[in-house]
Structure formats: C-alpha cells, structure tokens
Amino acid sequence: MKVISQIKLPVEKEMELFEKKFFESMSSKVALLNRITHYIVNRKGKQMRPMFVFLVAKMVSEGNVNERTYRGASVIELIHTATLVHDDVVDDSNRRRGFFSINALWKNKIAVLVGDYLLSKGLLLSIDNNDFDLLKIISVAVREMSEGELLQIEKARRLDITEAVYYDIIRQKTATLIAACCSLGAASVNPESPDVAKMRRFGELIGMAFQIKDDLFDYGTEKIGKPTGIDIKEQKMTLPLIYTLNTVSEKDQKWLINSVKNHNKDRKRVREVIDFVKDNGGLDYAVKRMKEFQKEALLLLQDYPESEYRDSLELMVNYVIERKK
C-alpha cells in the first residue's frame, strides 16, 4: 500500500464526504466559473491539507469530527487552491501537477479573478457559519504567506540571507499553511483548548522539515537522480547554500556569490556550485536541521494517547522527510 493511502486510511470516510462538500462550496451561478472549478477539482493533488485537518481533529478528540471540521477543511482547500492559481500567474507557469494551469488555458485575467473568487468563497464559508476563530487562523496564514513571498523576493535581490531569515521565510511561505491545517483541526473540535496552539506548532515543524527537503532535491541524490540547480538559477538562497556561505573562506564566499548572481544560467558553473556546497557540508547540515524539526514534531505527538490517528500523523511526519519527490 502506498504511504499516502496508509496515512489516509483512518479518515477515508471523512475525505469522501469532504470531497462532495468541497465541490459544493465552489459552486457559482456563472457557467464559466463552474467549468473552471470543475477542471480544478478533477485535477486535485494528494489533498494532504484536508487530511491534516481530519487526522488532528480525530486525534485530539478521541475520534470525533463535526460540521466545523468539514468547513475548516473546505476553507483551507479553497484558500490553498486560490494561492496556487495566483502563484501560477505570478510565476508565469503553464503547468500544475502535470496539467495545464488555469492561466495557460484561460489567460491571466481570468485566473486572477478565479483566485479572488475562491478566496472570497473560503472567507464567506467561515463568516456565514460564525466560525470566526477558524477564520482568524486562516487569515493569519494568508497574511504570513504573502509576507514570506515578499521577504524572499526582497532578500534574493541582495543575496544577504542569514539562517534566521531563511527560517522566517520558509515558516511564512510553506509552514504557516500546514500549521493552519493542524490548528484548524484542533479548533474545530476543541475550540480555545491548548491543543490549538500545540497543533499549530506541530504543523509548523512539519512545514519547516518539508521545505528543507524540497531545497535538498535541488542538489539531487542517488535516489532522485540528476541535480536540477533550479533554485540556484532562480537565485533562491536555500539552507545548504546559506550554511556553506557562512562557513567558507572570504575568497570562496565571493566566488559563490558571484556564481549565483552573475553565472546562474551557466550550467557548468551551477554544477560546480552544487559540488562545492556538497563538499563543504551544506547538504549534511541541512539534513541535520531537517531531522531536528522532525524529531520535535514527533515529540509533540507523544502528549496524545496512542491511536490510529496519531500513527497516521507520525507516518506523515516521516513521509515528509523520506519522500523521493
């Protein structure tokens, strides 16, 4: 059995019902919108985010979920989908999960409006049901995601990212949404309990580990095959590179910065940077930090009684850093 199917097993029924509710939450009186949202729903990914919502809700409440849990999962997925649609416009990307992106099929103007529509649908779903605590969780996540993206753009221009700033960027860009899923799951069944903050931290730690793993893929391993060097080409400062920059001689530092700034399209030079980072312990350091985040996340789960939901979340934490793509 695939790992994702195994993780999903304890919430399979909830996920089936969620899909129906999610599709209903996207409906509109405008035919074009319905055509586009239908296209989105039929090309969904692994749906890890709703899975987090249901698994956490069931773990902290001895197996219970309610209508708020379903709404929380729908809000997260609506907002997440809106950000993906907008991201494809920002990145001028024509593909998403192997399919054409919305902007590739319907142009940027429509894609931006569809993203806005999904965002408003998510917010209204919470407001109409007086789920103001859930709305606050998701609104904070949207704000942080925007700030994280802008912080990364600002820093990429100057290439002066410290390790602390890097963690700030990935916490906001990636981890905050997973943190929102986990705190939403807890808040939907145990509002105002300590579980909400604890599960937020749990999600944040998973998100940090997830992003570092993504950064490592850029350097390739035997299992992944050839390194891509895409982050270097895009002048993205990731943990292996930041660590290396901070530990090598001034001469090597200058060579690295010059390579990333002025030779990032030269394949041979990018390859040299990748090898240099590997040889100077950049990858080993990033793996070490990733495992520290993983360990801290697993420790938080020990506060809850053993259950199939906790097992699935443990499996999820391990999958995040062991995945091959």
Side-chain angles (χ1 to χ4, degrees):
M1 186 189 280
K2 277 189 169 174
V3 180
I4 297 294
S5 310
Q6 216 178 324
I7 292 167
K8 194 177 181 177
L9 216 54
V11 290
E12 215 158 24
K13 282 191 196 129
E14 285 80 6
M15 289 297 288
E16 272 175 39
L17 183 53
F18 159 75
E19 284 198 23
K20 288 188 195 126
K21 287 176 183 279
F22 179 57
F23 189 60
E24 283 164 17
S25 70
M26 287 173 120
S27 67
S28 154
K29 294 188 178 76
V30 179
L32 174 62
L33 255 173
N34 281 336
R35 202 154 72 238
I36 296 170
T37 53
H38 193 77
Y39 179 82
I40 291 169
V41 167
N42 286 334
R43 280 152 193 80
K44 62 184 183 297
K46 299 187 190 85
Q47 292 194 302
M48 306 285 268
R49 286 157 193 85
M51 246 185 273
F52 271 123
V53 175
F54 290 115
L55 285 169
V56 166
K58 294 189 103 173
M59 180 184 74
V60 303
S61 67
E62 293 173 5
N64 295 316
V65 296
N66 54 34
E67 279 305 312
R68 264 165 61 88
T69 317
Y70 285 99
R71 287 197 297 271
S74 291
V75 169
I76 277 282
E77 203 63 353
L78 282 163
I79 305 281
H80 174 58
T81 309
T83 61
L84 294 184
V85 172
H86 282 164
D87 278 353
D88 287 339
V89 176
V90 170
D91 298 337
D92 203 11
S93 174
N94 291 326
R95 312 287 287 184
R96 167 71 60 186
R97 299 188 186 118
F99 297 99
F100 283 116
S101 58
I102 304 301
N103 48 305
L105 292 173
W106 284 281
K107 302 289 176 259
N108 283 350
K109 190 174 183 178
I110 288 176
V112 170
L113 294 169
V114 168
D116 290 348
Y117 172 76
L118 296 171
L119 192 64
S120 67
K121 274 293 212 184
L123 301 177
L124 283 167
L125 185 60
S126 295
I127 291 166
D128 291 345
N129 292 283
N130 293 328
D131 296 331
F132 296 113
D133 55 336
L134 306 187
L135 181 62
K136 185 172 182 184
I137 291 169
I138 193 65
S139 300
V140 167
V142 173
R143 183 195 70 204
E144 291 199 330
M145 283 156 70
S146 311
E147 285 177 348
E149 286 287 354
L150 288 163
L151 180 60
Q152 185 170 43
I153 292 167
E154 178 196 340
K155 293 293 179 184
R157 286 185 184 143
R158 297 206 300 270
L159 301 185
D160 63 346
I161 295 185
T162 61
E163 196 173 328
V165 170
Y166 166 80
Y167 292 134
D168 263 351
I169 290 171
I170 68 167
R171 185 184 55 75
Q172 293 180 310
K173 252 188 71 177
T174 306
T176 193
L177 195 64
I178 301 172
C181 296
C182 297
S183 56
L184 268 177
S188 71
V189 287
N190 292 345
E192 293 177 34
S193 71
D195 295 327
V196 180
K198 195 181 287 181
M199 285 297 101
R200 177 181 171 76
R201 178 65 184 152
F202 169 73
E204 203 169 80
L205 291 162
I206 295 178
M208 304 285 272
F210 180 91
Q211 187 57 54
I212 295 173
K213 179 69 172 182
D214 255 15
D215 293 348
L216 285 164
F217 283 143
D218 203 51
Y219 290 84
T221 69
E222 285 154 34
K223 296 187 184 84
I224 305 156
K226 290 178 191 157
T228 61
I230 288 168
D231 287 340
I232 295 164
K233 286 173 196 142
E234 292 178 356
Q235 298 191 5
K236 275 188 190 158
M237 300 291 284
T238 60
L239 190 55
L241 186 58
I242 291 165
Y243 171 80
T244 308
L245 267 173
N246 289 330
T247 51
V248 295
S249 68
E250 202 176 322
K251 183 180 157 223
D252 286 336
Q253 258 179 12
K254 280 180 181 159
W255 175 80
L256 267 176
I257 289 172
N258 184 31
S259 302
V260 175
K261 234 180 185 162
N262 305 314
H263 303 279
N264 54 11
K265 302 288 187 281
D266 175 345
R267 284 170 74 172
K268 183 172 172 285
R269 188 73 168 256
V270 168
R271 178 74 250 191
E272 284 170 8
V273 170
I274 286 170
D275 289 339
F276 186 82
V277 169
K278 279 183 184 172
D279 294 343
N280 284 278
L283 298 197
D284 294 337
Y285 180 75
V287 168
K288 181 176 144 245
R289 293 296 286 131
M290 175 179 74
K291 288 186 171 167
E292 283 168 9
F293 286 124
Q294 174 207 24
K295 197 175 164 192
E296 201 183 326
L298 289 171
L299 262 176
L300 282 174
L301 291 178
Q302 299 309 306
D303 294 347
Y304 295 91
E306 272 189 40
S307 66
E308 55 183 334
Y309 317 115
R310 193 183 93 174
D311 291 347
S312 268
L313 286 166
E314 282 176 4
L315 204 56
M316 183 89 95
V317 175
N318 294 327
Y319 165 75
V320 156
I321 73 160
E322 284 159 14
R323 66 201 163 98
K324 304 290 181 278
K325 60 178 182 177

